[in-house]
Amino acid sequence: MKKLLLSASVILLATGAFAQSTMSGSTARFGLKAGVNLSSYSGTGALDRDYKSNVGYNVTAFGDFGVGNNFFIQPGVSLQNKGAKLESTGTVAGTTATGTFKQDVMAIEVPVNAVVRIPTGDAGAFQISAGPYVGFNISGKNKYTGTYTNGAVAGSSFTDRDIEFGSTTSDDLSSIDFGANFGLAYRLNSGISIGANYGLGLSNLVPKDSRTNDDKLRNRVIGFSIGYSL
């Protein structure tokens, strides 16, 4: 991953334009970016577990609308691949068995970020962003490999199945998520950019009718992307 990002950075810097550009309050531009997600969960109560990162992807269409010199609002529509993994080791009939549970979730998100642009001479500018998002979980799958141990149940048997979204006790996850995004990017004056983003889920993903005690589950996503805007 580090080698891939370093190579992408070198290519972007080598192809940048060197014309000075200042974004004003009347500027508007549109773009597309895509990249890789490293997603996981943060849990409390019975859901406080050792979640591992799930590798997914992100694709976002966005617009930049200037509201002042080097300050703009960036709304967008994004397809986000999220989820997490759990690993287990249990004893079945005196034999140690290992297994993995992987949850893949596809969500459509609508972020609205405030962005501050910091020019760096003639090459481009750093962009620091933050803002809320609302997400809609649209599809997903629970996948199992090996002999996965669910809690204290050794040798539990599971099969892959689609995730059910909603608010009832028969559902797996809530259908709606909201939170905050924090990002850092570098945009060349050619329009090419490379950036990183942290998604801090604030809503409880446990379906409403299944919430007991202090059981909470929230998204945590680190994303990397390469984009272009004009």
Side-chain angles (χ1 to χ4, degrees):
M1 178 64 69
K2 292 182 179 179
K3 291 182 179 179
L4 176 61
L5 293 175
L6 179 60
S7 298
S9 300
V10 171
I11 293 172
L12 294 181
L13 290 172
T15 58
F18 294 94
Q20 181 64 36
S21 175
T22 299
M23 192 168 189
S24 69
S26 60
T27 303
R29 62 192 182 205
F30 301 90
L32 184 69
K33 58 184 177 180
V36 176
N37 281 344
L38 299 177
S39 64
S40 187
Y41 293 137
S42 173
T44 60
L47 299 176
D48 182 8
R49 301 178 181 179
D50 185 18
Y51 296 102
K52 306 297 184 181
S53 293
N54 186 41
V55 179
Y57 61 87
N58 60 77
V59 180
T60 303
F62 62 91
D64 294 335
F65 300 94
V67 295
N69 285 341
N70 293 318
F71 178 73
F72 55 96
I73 301 299
Q74 186 183 80
V77 177
S78 182
L79 182 64
Q80 295 282 338
N81 183 199
K82 301 183 179 183
K85 291 193 296 185
L86 283 171
E87 298 174 349
S88 72
T89 301
T91 301
V92 182
T95 302
T96 299
T98 61
T100 300
F101 163 66
K102 180 180 179 182
Q103 188 165 71
D104 273 319
V105 178
M106 293 302 305
I108 294 177
E109 286 186 1
V110 181
V112 180
N113 293 318
V115 185
V116 175
R117 182 177 182 274
I118 304 174
T120 57
D122 295 333
F126 283 103
Q127 296 183 163
I128 302 173
S129 62
Y133 74 83
V134 60
F136 305 92
N137 295 324
I138 56 174
S139 67
K141 199 172 189 67
N142 290 337
K143 301 177 181 180
Y144 300 89
T145 56
T147 302
Y148 179 70
T149 301
N150 184 16
V153 183
S156 303
S157 178
F158 300 94
T159 58
D160 295 354
R161 64 178 181 83
D162 293 335
I163 298 173
E164 299 292 334
F165 300 102
S167 60
T168 70
T169 55
S170 62
D171 294 317
D172 300 295
L173 293 174
S174 174
S175 57
I176 297 177
D177 175 35
F178 65 85
N181 283 316
F182 304 91
L184 175 65
Y186 190 83
R187 181 182 184 274
L188 297 168
N189 288 336
S190 63
I192 299 173
S193 64
I194 184 169
N197 182 83
Y198 180 69
L200 178 68
L202 300 176
S203 64
N204 189 358
L205 296 175
V206 177
K208 184 177 180 180
D209 294 347
S210 298
R211 296 174 186 176
T212 59
N213 301 320
D214 192 36
D215 295 349
K216 294 183 175 66
L217 194 69
R218 298 185 174 95
N219 278 312
R220 298 289 185 264
V221 182
I222 298 174
F224 303 94
S225 62
I226 296 176
Y228 181 76
S229 60
L230 50 79

